[in-house]
């Protein structure tokens, strides 16, 4: 039996649920949380398929475990639907793993998260453990994971102590951004679109909290998750960008992890994420990269 609580997020995609949920069934967690947003108004497709997905998941829980269910009647949307489900999850547990229905994990993903949730549970600098990275096979790290400014959410884990700071409305983003030292880490327009509800999502707000509170995230050396949700029916991943065609390297990590000797941001890794995923200007970000490595070598020289 797997000890760490798991939150599994579902909606109306039975085909994906049938692929990803067996990975949880094989693990047989002691505590399983299932959350589903409600069908969209006057949507017959949702009415039928939301029910089919819920019935399928419940029919496959055939081991002895604590099951908690949050099946909503109304549709809250991608932003409120997911974030409120995570808040519900952490109203019951102190730490846990979050997996959406379109994220297919390698088995070592779960043990990677479980090991690091225990190792860093009392280190409040660390607030996020990702099962994915966007390095596209580039190995800039000999350890089994590295530290980042970015919170990638295709299979991840965190603690209640971290999620308690989540702010869906990003109420003080303007004042934060005006004083933020590393503006080239983020896309200002993207954050304002989320804050102004032009984009309905929840993960940018989580990234914002990470930056605002100067927290650190963890990314694995090799991706432990495949996102299989790219389709015309998806909310955000409806079109496969060119860089995703290169994301062919997925692997696994040992239960006994090779830990980094120090907790410090891997700026080379963040450069890849900023440029390839957030489309940030690589020359501006390069200034951040050079500045931080200059400080690093200067400090070494002074010691």
């Amino acid at each position: 039996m797997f000890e760490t609580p798991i939150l599994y997020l579902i909606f109306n995609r039975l085909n994906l649920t049938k692929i990803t949920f067996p990975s949880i069934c094989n693990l047989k967690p002691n505590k399983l949380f299932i959350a589903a947003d409600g069908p969209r108004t006057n949507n017959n497709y949702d009415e039928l398929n939301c029910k089919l997905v819920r019935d399928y998941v419940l029919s496959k829980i055939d081991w002895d475990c604590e099951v908690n269910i949050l099946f909503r009647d109304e549709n809250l949307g991608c932003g409120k639907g997911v974030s409120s489900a995570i808040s519900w999850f952490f109203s019951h547990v102190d730490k846990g793993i979050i997996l959406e229905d379109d994220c297919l994990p390698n088995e070592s993903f779960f043990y990677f998260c479980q090991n690091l949730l225990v190792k860093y549970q009392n280190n409040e600098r660390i607030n996020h453990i990702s099962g994915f990275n966007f390095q596209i096979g580039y190995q800039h790290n000999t350890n089994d994971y590295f530290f980042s400014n970015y919170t990638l959410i295709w299979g991840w884990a965190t603690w209640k102590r971290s999620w308690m700071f989540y702010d869906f409305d990003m109420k003080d983003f303007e004042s934060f951004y005006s004083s933020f030292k590393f503006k080239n880490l983020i896309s200002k327009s993207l954050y304002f679109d989320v804050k102004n509800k032009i984009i309905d999502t929840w993960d940018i707000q989580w990234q914002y909290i990470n930056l605002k509170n100067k927290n650190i995230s963890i990314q694995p050396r090799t991706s432990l998750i495949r996102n299989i949700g790219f389709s015309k029916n998806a909310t955000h991943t409806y079109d496969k960008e060119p860089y995703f065609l290169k994301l062919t390297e997925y692997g696994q990590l040992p239960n006994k992890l090779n830990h980094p000797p120090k907790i410090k941001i891997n700026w080379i890794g963040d450069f890849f994420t900023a440029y390839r995923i957030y489309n940030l200007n690589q020359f501006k970000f390069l200034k951040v990269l050079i500045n931080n490595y200059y400080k690093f070598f200067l400090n070494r020289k002074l010691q």
Side-chain angles (χ1 to χ4, degrees), residues 194-215:
V194 172
K195 178 176 174 56
N196 295 325
K197 306 298 187 290
I198 297 171
I199 298 176
D200 180 29
T201 192
W202 61 273
D203 58 307
I204 296 300
Q205 297 93 319
W206 180 229
Q207 174 72 76
Y208 158 65
I209 290 299
N210 184 64
L211 295 172
K212 174 186 172 183
N213 294 335
K214 300 178 181 178
N215 293 124

Side-chain angles (χ1 to χ4, degrees), residues 60-71:
K60 295 300 179 181
I61 304 173
D62 58 1
W63 67 95
D64 185 22
C65 68
E66 176 188 325
V67 181
N68 295 268
I69 296 171
L70 178 64
F71 288 172

Side-chain angles (χ1 to χ4, degrees), residues 169-170 174 189-199:
D169 296 316
M170 296 195 295
E174 288 90 345
S189 61
L190 172 62
Y191 278 73
F192 273 104
D193 282 350
V194 172
K195 178 176 174 56
N196 295 325
K197 306 298 187 290
I198 297 171
I199 298 176

Side-chain angles (χ1 to χ4, degrees), residues 9-11 35-41 43 46 50 54 70-88 166 168-169 197 199-202 205 235-236:
L9 298 163
I10 58 176
F11 183 42
D37 200 5
R40 288 164 290 192
T41 304
N43 189 314
D46 280 3
C50 287
R54 297 176 185 192
L70 178 64
F71 288 172
R72 297 195 182 279
D73 295 325
E74 74 282 7
N75 182 270
L76 299 183
C78 182
K80 280 291 189 180
V82 174
S83 61
S84 64
I86 299 171
S87 295
W88 164 74
Y166 182 80
F168 182 79
D169 296 316
K197 306 298 187 290
I199 298 176
D200 180 29
T201 192
W202 61 273
Q205 297 93 319
T235 302
H236 297 125

Side-chain angles (χ1 to χ4, degrees), residues 233-246:
N233 295 323
T235 302
H236 297 125
T237 53
Y238 47 82
D239 187 24
K240 207 166 194 177
E241 296 291 340
Y243 53 75
F244 286 110
L245 299 175
K246 301 177 182 179

Side-chain angles (χ1 to χ4, degrees), residues 112 116 119-120 123 125-126 140-148 216-221 253 256-266:
F112 174 76
L116 297 182
K119 179 176 177 62
Y120 294 108
N123 188 332
R125 293 180 65 197
I126 311 294
H140 49 77
N141 197 305
T142 58
N143 307 116
D144 284 326
Y145 59 93
F146 59 95
F147 298 102
S148 172
I216 296 173
S217 299
I218 290 172
Q219 293 181 31
R221 174 175 52 81
L253 294 175
K256 188 175 181 180
L257 296 171
N258 181 19
H259 302 282
K262 293 183 179 180
I263 299 176
K264 61 180 182 180
I265 297 296
N266 188 310

